[in-house]
Amino acid sequence: MLAFLFAVFGIFLILLGAPIVTSILVSIASTGIATQFELFKFYDITQWIIKNSFNYGTFAIALFIISGNLMTKGKITEKIFNIFTYYLGKKNGFMPIIGILTCLFYGAISGSGPATVAAVAAMIFPMLIDFGYEKNFSAALLMCAGSLGMVIPPSLPLMFYGMMTEQDMSSLFKVSLVIGLTIGFLLIIYAYIYSKKHPIDQDKVDSMVDELRKNKFSDLLKDSIWALLMPFVILGGIFTNVLSTTEAATISVIYTLIVSIYIYKSLDYKTALETIRESLPIAAGLSIMLSVAYSFSNAIAALNGPQIIGEYVTSTFKSPTLLFIAILTAFFIMGMFMDGGATLGILTPILFPIIMSIGINPIIFGCDIILVIALGLCTPPFGLSLFVVSPMAESSVADITKEAIPLIIIMLITVFVFAIFPNLALWII
């Protein structure tokens, strides 16, 4: 019956192109009918969905989505960029590095990879081109650095994983921060080496920085401090256990509204309400997917799936490390063809009981799979971040991907290093 469940799911999702929620529900219902409701009934399916819909984590995800969209409309990116440029802009080859730092900082307040790519690249990409940087390199760099918004906490996919597996969110965030900052540092090294080999017209950069420095630093800091404080307020509250994830998400929305409307005046009441209204369908869709993914997990458990799959997998892969690498490869390949949330919702319920049974740390497992899903955003044929930067650069997906290959290799190697040596990141908890 387990094979029947996956077969129906695959037919509807892959062959018929049905949405993931529809595919899961049809496969669960069909399996119930095929077993003559011996293992679970329609009543059970309904209970699973209702029970999993009322989850504080779901509210947190919805609130962080709203907060991230408000930050984009409130032009928070510009404030962050100005501070980094003021200090680092005149250093040769540092403009791409400023782009990476802005991506990391923005990712720490938006929780979304594609949102970070869209917000930061829209502002910084034209500048890099104007300063003389090659367009495909600039697009590839901002795409990969921006996708780290899925890894740098508060990461929405990581929250999704934490709720599905009932892992401590603070521990997930701490470890993902170590991994995200490590990769960010490696991307900075790559960007610096590239810039040294491909010099640009530094006079243009100096002219922009001089214009920025006409203002007193105290005035610039006063203008930017509220944007810079955002990640410290949000992550500081979570890491010190002063705030739960949901409380931090609530404060994130309130803080963004106050800063954008009353301090920066980059939003008015009407625009803020429209942004919140536009965010709700996205948040609702993720919430529905989350509750249905829980139900899929319950159906697999009812069919004794973890034990069946676990016996097969552990007999094939004798080493936990090899199994971990195989799982990461599977997530990476699926991330190239499917939405990250769908990949997470499908594979996590199947694989999580297995990794727990063979002793793989669930915290490092979650952080690593989120990272490879983030890499899927940067790879064809269906990389969302790739589709975001391609029109900006007026380049083909293939040309940008070619320039992104070294960056993707750096990120993949880092993933596998943390998988093989988990204590490199777990020390923080």
Side-chain angles (χ1 to χ4, degrees):
M1 274 300 111
L2 188 65
F4 179 83
L5 174 73
F6 290 130
V8 174
F9 174 76
I11 289 169
F12 273 82
L13 182 69
I14 299 171
L15 297 182
L16 301 182
I20 182 172
V21 170
T22 303
S23 303
I24 288 176
L25 290 176
V26 170
S27 63
I28 295 173
S30 300
T31 304
I33 294 169
T35 57
Q36 298 181 337
F37 301 108
E38 289 181 1
L39 298 175
F40 53 83
K41 301 177 174 59
F42 281 142
Y43 171 77
D44 296 317
I45 300 172
T46 306
Q47 259 199 332
W48 293 339
I49 294 173
I50 293 173
K51 178 185 175 183
N52 294 320
S53 297
F54 294 96
N55 188 308
Y56 281 114
T58 304
F59 294 120
I61 289 177
L63 290 168
F64 273 123
I65 289 171
I66 293 170
S67 175
N69 288 339
L70 287 170
M71 289 171 198
T72 301
K73 291 285 181 72
K75 298 181 180 179
I76 302 297
T77 318
E78 183 179 335
K79 311 297 180 183
I80 299 169
F81 174 78
N82 286 344
I83 284 290
F84 288 132
T85 305
Y86 189 97
Y87 273 114
L88 304 175
K90 284 206 168 188
K91 297 181 184 296
N92 289 333
F94 264 62
M95 285 310 296
I97 294 174
I98 291 171
I100 295 171
L101 292 173
T102 305
C103 284
L104 294 175
F105 220 89
Y106 191 87
I109 53 181
S110 74
S112 168
T116 302
V117 174
V120 177
M123 177 186 173
I124 297 179
F125 178 78
M127 291 183 183
L128 293 178
I129 302 307
D130 186 49
F131 295 147
Y133 289 99
E134 202 276 324
K135 66 177 183 178
N136 291 325
F137 160 76
S138 302
L141 185 71
L142 293 174
M143 173 184 71
C144 292
S147 295
L148 290 177
M150 285 183 69
V151 182
I152 300 290
S155 157
L156 299 181
L158 201 59
M159 291 169 63
F160 194 176
Y161 169 84
M163 285 180 285
M164 280 196 295
T165 59
E166 299 181 347
Q167 296 301 304
D168 177 59
M169 208 66 72
S170 177
S171 297
L172 284 169
F173 281 178
K174 289 176 183 177
V175 172
S176 69
L177 184 64
V178 172
I179 295 175
L181 291 180
T182 300
I183 294 177
F185 178 70
L186 294 174
L187 294 184
I188 286 172
I189 292 174
Y190 177 85
Y192 182 75
I193 294 171
Y194 179 95
S195 297
K196 286 297 183 183
K197 291 183 178 180
H198 301 81
I200 52 126
D201 183 3
Q202 187 65 30
D203 290 339
K204 275 192 176 183
V205 180
D206 292 345
S207 176
M208 185 197 72
V209 178
D210 286 338
E211 188 67 28
L212 190 62
R213 289 182 178 178
K214 285 182 180 179
N215 301 311
K216 293 180 181 178
F217 176 70
S218 57
D219 293 335
L220 181 65
L221 182 61
K222 183 180 177 181
D223 187 44
S224 304
I225 189 65
W226 301 104
L228 296 173
L229 283 175
M230 276 190 181
F232 297 104
V233 171
I234 297 166
L235 299 182
I238 295 172
F239 287 172
T240 57
N241 297 318
V242 173
L243 300 172
S244 68
T245 308
T246 308
E247 290 166 344
T250 305
I251 288 176
S252 173
V253 173
I254 296 170
Y255 186 98
T256 306
L257 285 170
I258 292 172
V259 169
S260 299
I261 294 174
Y262 297 107
I263 298 176
Y264 292 148
K265 299 185 180 355
S266 52
L267 281 180
D268 54 31
Y269 291 112
K270 183 180 178 182
T271 307
L273 286 172
E274 286 176 357
T275 303
I276 293 171
R277 197 158 39 236
E278 290 168 2
S279 304
L280 291 178
I282 302 170
L286 280 174
S287 299
I288 292 169
M289 183 185 293
L290 181 60
S291 61
V292 171
Y294 270 122
S295 305
F296 193 50
S297 177
N298 289 334
I300 291 172
L303 294 170
N304 205 30
Q307 288 77 15
I308 296 171
I309 298 171
E311 288 175 6
Y312 172 77
V313 169
T314 51
S315 65
T316 304
F317 297 95
K318 301 298 183 183
S319 164
T321 302
L322 288 177
L323 174 59
F324 196 178
I325 292 173
I327 289 173
L328 290 174
T329 304
F331 268 99
F332 178 61
I333 293 171
M334 282 193 69
M336 294 171 65
F337 294 93
M338 293 182 64
D339 172 74
T343 304
L344 203 58
I346 293 166
L347 292 183
T348 303
I350 301 169
L351 297 172
F352 184 75
I354 298 170
I355 68 107
M356 289 297 289
S357 68
I358 62 174
I360 294 175
N361 185 282
I363 302 296
I364 201 74
F365 175 77
C367 294
D368 265 2
I369 63 174
I370 298 303
L371 182 52
V372 294
I373 289 173
L375 280 172
L377 296 174
C378 306
T379 54
F382 300 117
L384 182 55
S385 295
L386 193 55
F387 292 155
V388 170
V389 298
S390 180
M392 291 184 192
E394 297 181 351
S395 288
S396 69
V397 165
D399 287 340
I400 296 174
T401 302
K402 182 179 178 181
E403 198 66 50
I405 287 174
L407 300 167
I408 292 172
I409 290 173
I410 288 170
M411 295 168 81
L412 270 177
I413 290 173
T414 308
V415 171
F416 291 130
V417 167
F418 279 112
I420 297 169
F421 305 104
N423 288 331
L424 291 175
L426 292 174
W427 60 267
I428 198 168
I429 58 174

